[in-house]
């Protein structure tokens, strides 16, 4: 009986992990005959799990929607995966720390003792890196509205918020009228949530920070469009006007780069801002814990730098140039002397 129960738990986990399973593949995964799988499926159905039989050459079994999943849905491996995912989520998506901690605590309370032990067996200590930068908490209502609009292909009406989350009023210098957009993709990159959408007013593709939007759902459906270049990652990373704002650092500086804004935006560190100047030039504003740190990052772009601000950043660049020159001279003097060639 215990073996049957564990197998049924494993079967339920498999059915819940994807939309459809062929009978033969389920039998292979469970290491039993197809007849045993059919019997276990009937057992689960008697427990009110809506397992649907899909007929045809590509048929199989599917776990229907609308069911209530008991704690036993998780096996030991899944419980461990959930514990790791919820503890590491704040490291990749800022603003979800409290929600992830509450979700982990709630799951642990309803888990049977053996599964709870698996989840509690791994407790992570998260150390902050100097390059991490905090983001505003994600508004779950806004995130849900945007996600639902992307899934159902519904037009969104959005208002742009300030970096501090406040809403500009008509007459304010930074006030922007509401926009009607077609939301296509919800993307997480560099600890930020971004929405890739088609703006119906100017007929252009845009990338917007979700935490800078106040969305109003509609019921107007739209037809999916082809993204320019068909490369979502390249499009998001190469868009310079994503709505990002400079992160507060001990030192903040900027420079004019002899590179297109799209190129710099793709490789600029998180928390920096790229301003388009013309087709071949842009301005990068970024921060670090020292002026030398900013100068070092700017040097990685291997491009001409002009209009460097403030003077402290210019001085740091000169000091670094002197150090590099000294390093090169020292390296040359320590190298072995090459014997001169003799011509007969």
């Amino acid at each position: 009986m215990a073996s049957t129960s564990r197998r049924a738990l494993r079967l339920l986990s498999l059915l819940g992990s994807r939309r459809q399973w062929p009978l033969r593949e389920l039998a292979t995964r469970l290491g039993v005959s197809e007849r045993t799988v059919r019997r276990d499926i009937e057992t689960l159905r008697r427990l009110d799990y809506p397992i649907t039989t899909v007929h045809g050459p590509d048929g199989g079994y599917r776990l229907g929607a609308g069911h209530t999943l008991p704690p036993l849905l998780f096996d030991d491996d899944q419980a461990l995966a959930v514990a790791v995912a919820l503890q590491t989520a704040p490291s990749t998506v800022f603003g979800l720390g409290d929600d992830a901690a509450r979700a982990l605590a709630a799951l642990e309370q309803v888990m049977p003792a053996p599964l709870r032990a698996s989840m509690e067996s791994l407790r992570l200590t998260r150390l902050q890196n100097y390059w991490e930068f905090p983001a505003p908490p994600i508004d779950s209502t806004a995130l849900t509205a945007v996600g639902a609009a992307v899934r159902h292909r519904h037009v969104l009406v959005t208002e742009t918020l300030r970096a501090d989350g406040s809403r500009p009023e008509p007459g304010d210098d930074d006030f922007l009228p509401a926009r009607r957009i077609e939301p296509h993709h919800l993307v997480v990159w560099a600890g930020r949530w971004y929405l890739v959408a088609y703006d119906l007013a100017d007929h252009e593709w845009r990338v917007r920070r979700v935490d800078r939007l106040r969305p109003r759902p509609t019921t107007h459906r739209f037809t999916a469009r082809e993204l320019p270049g068909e490369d979502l990652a390249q499009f998001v990373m190469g868009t310079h006007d994503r709505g990002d704002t400079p992160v507060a650092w001990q030192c903040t500086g900027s420079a004019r780069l002899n590179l297109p804004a799209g190129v710099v935006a793709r490789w600029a560190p998180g928390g920096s801002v790229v301003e388009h100047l013309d087709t071949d030039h842009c301005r990068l504003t970024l921060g670090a814990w020292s002026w030398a740190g900013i100068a070092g990052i700017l040097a990685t772009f291997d491009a001409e730098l002009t209009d460097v601000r403030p003077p402290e950043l210019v001085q740091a660049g000169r000091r670094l140039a002197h150090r590099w020159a000294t390093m090169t001279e020292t390296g040359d003097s320590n190298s072995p002397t090459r014997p001169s060639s003799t011509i007969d």
Side-chain angles (χ1 to χ4, degrees), residues 79-93 96-97 99-105 108 118-127:
L80 187 62
V82 170
V84 172
L86 289 175
Q87 291 182 75
T88 56
S91 298
T92 54
V93 183
L96 295 182
D99 293 334
R102 290 191 299 108
L104 181 61
E108 289 178 345
S118 296
M119 294 186 71
E120 293 177 345
S121 65
L122 186 61
R123 278 287 182 260
L124 305 179
T125 299
R126 177 175 173 268
L127 301 179

Side-chain angles (χ1 to χ4, degrees), residues 143-183:
L143 192 59
T144 301
V146 171
V150 171
R151 178 181 179 184
H152 298 296
R153 301 293 183 195
H154 285 172
V155 172
L156 274 178
V157 177
T158 61
E159 296 173 308
T160 302
L161 305 178
R162 296 189 177 100
D164 60 3
S166 62
R167 176 187 174 189
E169 296 295 335
D172 294 342
D173 293 338
D174 55 351
F175 174 79
L176 295 173
R179 313 287 291 188
R180 289 175 57 85
I181 62 173
E182 295 176 352

